[in-house]
Every structure is written in structure tokens, then in C-alpha cells.
Amino acid sequence: MMIFTIALFSPFFPTIFAYNNGVKLPAQLILSSQSRSVDQIDRFTRKQKVEILRSIITNNSSLAVMPCCYDGLSAKLVEAAGFKLTFMSGFAVSAAYGLPDTGLLSVTEMAYQANMICNALRYIPCIGDGDTGYGNVANVKRTVRQYINAGLSGIMIEDQVSPKRCGHTKGKQVVGREEAFARLPAAVGARP
């Protein structure tokens, strides 16, 4: 069994929502835009994108399609196509480097790519593939902090042993429950 963790990088506060091109937006984002329409806002902050992601996740009435991206251009294409969010795929980023998705890229290389992606996105949030957190619990904290600094709105952390294997290949092994569960408070505790 594989456990996936998604940690949002901000506390939850929106209660009123508005819509822009089908994306459910917290009213605070609209109100804080100094009476300008959403179309006049140059770009949302990371905190605003976290709130958008949280509203997408908590909306139980529909499934959110989340195409993957691996660089700034692919992220812009996802946003231009009208999707509500995107996911920085470790497989796709590794492939762009000409490598297999077997944990050969470091957290620094992934955070660099995440920064390029987040700088390219204007309105939609991006969740990042955090692999196994790139090591032990201390590494999970470091990974979350680097992903936050890169601008990501959330992270997915797997419970595989390190070095990991791509999620759709055979022969994956998972860590014990104790280690897997220890990653949760490490990720949550690393948030600002």
C-alpha cells in the first residue's frame, strides 16, 4: 500500500467564494485586489494560490483535472488551457533532464524547476512532486521549506524507500508505517 501526503502551505480562512474562468476564488482575494477585477490583477501571490488550492480540494462536488508540467512553458500551457491547477511531475522533470524517475534529481534541482514553473504561472496553484522527501524526517522538512520558497502551493510525499522508483513501475518498496507517519508532522511543521 502506498500513502500519499498532500500538505497545503497556509492556514484555511476563506468562507465566501467568487469565480474567474471556472476557478473558485476566495472572496478575500477579490476584496484585497483594491476593487479591481480579477482580470486586472497581474498575478496572485503564493498565499492566494494556496487558498485557491484549498478551495479546490475542499469542493466535494467535482473532480479537479490536474495536468502535469515540468517547466515554465508547460505550466503556461496548462494555465492558458483553462485548468484550475497543475502538478509538477517528478517523472516529467526527470525526463526533461534526460534521466529516469528513480530519485537521481536532488531536492535543489526540483526546487529550481518549481521556481521556474511558479514564476510562469499567474493565477493557478501548482502542487509539487516531493518524492520521498529526499531522505529522513529532517530532509522532509527541508524539502517542504524549499518548495514553499520556490512558490509551490502544496506537495505530494510518497512512502517509498529511498532510492525510490517511479510510481508506475514494478518492484516498489515502502517504508514502515512508523517512518511513513513521521513524515506527516515533519511536512506540516515545516510550513510558515
Side-chain angles (χ1 to χ4, degrees):
M1 178 176 78
M2 294 193 57
I3 299 170
F4 291 95
T5 304
I6 296 179
L8 297 176
F9 297 150
S10 173
F12 180 65
F13 67 85
T15 54
I16 305 170
F17 296 92
Y19 287 87
N20 178 42
N21 295 329
V23 177
K24 192 175 182 183
L25 303 173
Q28 289 89 335
L29 303 183
I30 307 303
L31 299 175
S32 67
S33 67
Q34 301 172 355
S35 301
R36 296 182 294 172
S37 73
V38 174
D39 293 330
Q40 294 172 319
I41 299 171
D42 181 50
R43 65 184 319 107
F44 290 150
T45 65
R46 187 194 61 78
K47 185 175 179 180
Q48 291 169 322
K49 290 177 183 179
V50 168
E51 297 309 326
I52 292 168
L53 176 60
R54 189 173 297 278
S55 71
I56 292 168
I57 290 172
T58 58
N59 180 2
N60 296 325
S61 65
S62 65
L63 179 67
V65 177
M66 183 173 47
C68 295
C69 63
Y70 58 91
D71 66 1
L73 178 59
S74 61
K76 282 184 177 221
L77 292 171
V78 170
E79 187 170 54
F83 290 97
K84 297 178 183 182
L85 72 158
T86 187
F87 180 79
M88 180 186 71
S89 162
F91 173 81
V93 172
S94 294
Y97 276 82
L99 298 170
D101 185 21
T102 56
L104 296 175
L105 292 181
S106 69
V107 64
T108 305
E109 290 164 310
M110 291 295 289
Y112 174 82
Q113 205 65 21
N115 184 262
M116 297 295 111
I117 289 167
C118 293
N119 282 329
L121 294 171
R122 293 179 64 201
Y123 303 116
I124 68 171
C126 182
I127 299 173
D129 185 343
D131 282 341
T132 62
Y134 298 94
N136 61 21
V137 171
N139 295 104
V140 169
K141 288 180 182 180
R142 180 174 183 252
T143 299
V144 169
R145 288 183 186 128
Q146 284 193 326
Y147 276 29
I148 290 170
N149 290 337
L152 290 170
S153 301
I155 187 171
M156 180 192 73
I157 300 174
E158 302 173 27
D159 64 348
Q160 287 193 53
V161 297
S162 190
K164 64 167 288 276
R165 296 179 64 105
C166 186
H168 56 267
T169 60
K170 293 181 182 180
K172 293 177 297 296
Q173 295 179 336
V174 295
V175 297
R177 285 179 175 255
E178 187 175 306
E179 185 177 341
F181 292 156
R183 293 176 181 176
L184 296 170
V188 171
R191 297 181 304 179

